């Protein structure tokens, strides 16, 4: 491959928390040098960045579908694929197959199903799946109801050095629910579950993780009480991290007005106090990962009565732009956002990327943080079409995306 020199960029290294103007040189699919005034090797391709932001490619730490076109549009070079596939990723051969799904344009890092068939009862062969390429283990869209099974899972995963990614909703409280038990749900007559279902599950899993001495990641925190539990556990030194998705920082349950089934998510949208608490958690570090939870559904899945519609939404193509809303609002800095989107998931799950250092893979994103556009569900790339953000004005456009030094966008 020809060397590539990206010149005159705003270099942001989220792993180091640094920002500077300068150049970056790519040789043999790796970052060769970073700094001002770099010389171009003979035959190198030169990219004039003209002050655009250059950062590591995004690592989307939680998608339910491998959607290459949507990922590329969102500046994503690597995804953690949830085990909720058909069939579930509960076998080494399925892990190996999943890892190949995005090639050559996307790194797919499969997550091993915690239990066979994701049934919550019999543990899957985590050791063999780790050897096959699984980077962590996940309970999927549902929590494991049986505390004994969860404890055995945490001990097994800890012995293998795998992080357990847990869904945080008590299944006994959320069965049959389509919304959070708030004034909005009552007014709309929707079957609902209390927001406390999240905190109850988080509290149990935190205690079990302490008992097992296991690392734990809460996939998506969406309530004030959940954020506070994570904050307190981290303050006590427990090895726990938490993620969330842009919807829980930008939308409340008022988005359900008119029975908008595109706003039926998992977990469901919460009240305004919970939304503000999620934002505070992102700002103070209690929540350290921002993921898309990309779960595109068909029109047939969504154009149904609200309670019958499938939960989930497309999110990969809008992840960067919606994250930048938090920067434009003054909630977090741009380096902090890029840490949430790349450096932090890389560090938590032991993945390459997330840093602008010589020797790091040339998975790179060049973007214009101020470029305006409007989200149009009908025009989003990939398996998109269902998003609660349809029509929202946003800023932030990908100008160049490289995976292993090869141009994707």
């Amino acid at each position: 491959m020809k060397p590539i020199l990206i010149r005159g960029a705003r270099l942001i290294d989220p792993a180091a928390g640094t920002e500077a103007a300068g150049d970056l040189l790519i040789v043999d699919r790796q970052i060769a040098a970073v700094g001002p005034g770099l010389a171009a090797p003979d035959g190198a391709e030169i990219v004039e960045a003209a002050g655009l932001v250059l950062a590591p490619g995004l690592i989307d730490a939680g998608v339910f579908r491998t959607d290459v076109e949507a990922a590329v549009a969102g500046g994503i070079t690597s995804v953690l694929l949830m085990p909720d596939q058909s069939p579930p990723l509960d076998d080494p051969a399925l892990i190996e197959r999943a890892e190949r799904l995005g090639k050559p344009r996307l790194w797919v890092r499969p997550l091993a199903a915690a239990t066979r068939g994701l049934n919550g009862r019999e543990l899957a062969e985590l050791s063999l799946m780790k050897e096959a390429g699984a980077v962590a283990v996940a309970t999927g869209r549902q929590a494991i109801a049986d505390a004994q099974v969860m404890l055995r899972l945490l001990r097994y995963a800890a012995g293998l050095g795998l992080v357990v990614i847990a869904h945080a909703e008590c299944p006994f409280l959320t069965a049959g629910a389509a919304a959070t038990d708030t004034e909005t749900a009552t007014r709309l007559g929707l079957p609902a579950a209390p927001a406390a279902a999240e905190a109850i599950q988080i509290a149990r899993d935190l205690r079990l993780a302490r008992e097992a001495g296991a690392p734990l990641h809460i996939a998506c925190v969406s309530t004030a009480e959940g954020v506070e539990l994570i904050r307190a556990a981290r303050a006590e030194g427990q090895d726990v991290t938490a993620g969330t998705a842009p919807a829980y920082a930008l939308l409340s349950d008022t988005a359900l007005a008119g029975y908008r089934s595109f706003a039926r998510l998992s977990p469901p949208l919460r009240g305004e106090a919970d939304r503000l608490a999620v934002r505070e958690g992102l700002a103070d570090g209690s929540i350290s990962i921002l993921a898309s939870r990309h779960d595109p559904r068909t029109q047939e899945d969504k154009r149904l009565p609200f309670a019958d519609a499938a939960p989930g939404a497309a999110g990969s193509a809008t992840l960067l732009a919606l994250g930048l809303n938090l920067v434009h609002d003054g909630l977090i800095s741009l380096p902090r956002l890029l840490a949430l989107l790349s450096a932090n998931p890389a560090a938590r799950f032991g993945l390459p990327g997330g840093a602008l250092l010589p020797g790091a893979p040339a998975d790179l994103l060049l973007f214009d943080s101020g470029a305006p556009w409007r989200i149009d569900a009908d025009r989003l790339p990939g398996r998109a079409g269902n998003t609660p953000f349809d029509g929202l004005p946003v800023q932030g456009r990908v100008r160049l995306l490289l995976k292993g030094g090869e141009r994707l966008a």
Side-chain angles (χ1 to χ4, degrees):
M1 293 180 62
K2 289 197 305 183
I4 301 174
L5 178 64
I6 302 175
R7 194 158 57 190
R10 180 184 171 191
L11 301 165
I12 296 182
D13 184 345
T18 59
E19 178 178 350
D23 311 332
L24 184 143
L25 177 64
I26 300 166
V27 178
D28 294 333
R29 300 182 179 274
Q30 294 184 332
I31 298 173
V34 182
L38 297 181
D42 292 340
E45 176 186 354
I46 297 177
V47 176
E48 296 292 352
L52 297 179
V53 177
L54 182 61
L58 306 189
I59 299 173
D60 192 348
V63 303
F64 292 89
R65 293 289 181 270
T66 300
D67 193 345
V68 176
E69 295 304 322
V72 169
I76 298 162
T77 53
S78 181
V79 299
L80 272 65
L81 180 64
M82 286 289 187
D84 311 70
Q85 308 301 309
S86 183
L89 303 183
D90 61 357
D91 181 86
L94 297 173
I95 294 291
E96 291 175 353
R97 177 179 175 273
E99 198 172 26
R100 297 193 294 268
L101 289 176
K103 290 182 177 178
R105 303 185 70 203
L106 181 68
W107 298 114
V108 176
R109 319 289 187 184
L111 300 173
T115 56
R116 293 191 182 277
L118 290 173
N119 61 18
R121 295 187 294 273
E122 183 182 358
L123 295 185
E125 291 286 356
L126 302 187
S127 178
L128 295 178
M129 287 191 285
K130 179 183 178 181
E131 291 178 7
V135 299
V137 54
T139 67
R141 287 190 179 93
Q142 299 290 327
I144 292 176
D146 190 319
Q148 186 179 60
V149 173
M150 187 64 177
L151 180 59
R152 285 168 42 219
L153 168 66
L154 288 160
R155 285 174 171 161
Y156 187 8
L160 296 171
L162 291 173
V163 177
V164 172
I165 301 175
H167 183 82
E169 285 185 294
C170 175
F172 300 113
L173 288 172
T174 59
T180 304
D181 189 4
T182 62
E183 180 183 340
T184 298
T186 300
R187 189 172 63 251
L188 296 174
L190 296 174
E198 176 175 284
I200 289 168
Q201 196 67 35
I202 291 175
R204 188 206 74 169
D205 289 348
L206 284 171
R207 184 63 189 87
L208 292 176
R210 283 199 300 274
E211 181 71 21
L216 178 67
H217 177 74
I218 303 300
C220 187
V221 178
S222 60
T223 66
E225 196 173 357
V227 172
E228 183 52 40
L229 284 168
I230 298 296
R231 181 181 290 119
R234 288 172 61 83
E236 293 172 0
Q238 185 167 353
D239 187 1
V240 59
T241 52
T244 196
Y248 304 99
L250 299 173
L251 298 175
S252 70
D253 64 337
T254 57
L256 276 55
Y259 301 95
R260 294 180 64 238
S261 59
F262 282 9
R264 185 174 180 198
L265 306 179
S266 176
L269 291 172
R270 311 297 190 178
E272 179 65 7
D274 292 314
R275 184 186 77 87
L276 294 175
V278 168
R279 292 170 70 89
E280 184 180 347
L282 286 165
D284 69 15
S286 300
I287 301 173
S288 57
I289 291 176
L290 188 66
S292 73
R293 294 185 66 80
H294 184 67
D295 196 2
R297 300 291 190 169
T298 65
Q299 296 289 328
E300 291 76 13
D301 289 333
K302 281 294 187 180
R303 296 198 180 280
L304 294 168
F306 189 94
D308 297 328
S316 291
T318 57
L319 178 60
L320 176 63
L322 293 175
L324 283 167
N325 268 9
L326 305 177
V327 177
H328 299 317
D329 288 348
L331 181 71
I332 56 176
S333 67
L334 185 52
R336 167 71 181 155
L337 172 66
L338 293 169
L340 291 164
L341 294 171
S342 61
N344 292 353
R348 184 53 167 162
F349 301 108
L351 305 176
L356 297 184
L357 291 172
D363 298 344
L364 298 167
L365 167 63
L366 185 70
F367 66 96
D368 183 345
S369 62
W373 59 289
R374 186 181 297 273
I375 295 173
D376 184 340
D378 294 331
R379 295 187 177 184
L380 289 176
R383 302 180 193 177
N386 60 301
T387 170
F389 295 101
D390 189 26
L392 180 71
V394 291
Q395 292 175 285
R397 282 285 198 184
V398 175
R399 299 305 185 196
L400 175 69
L401 187 65
L402 300 173
K403 172 182 173 280
E406 294 190 21
R407 187 186 294 260
L408 302 181

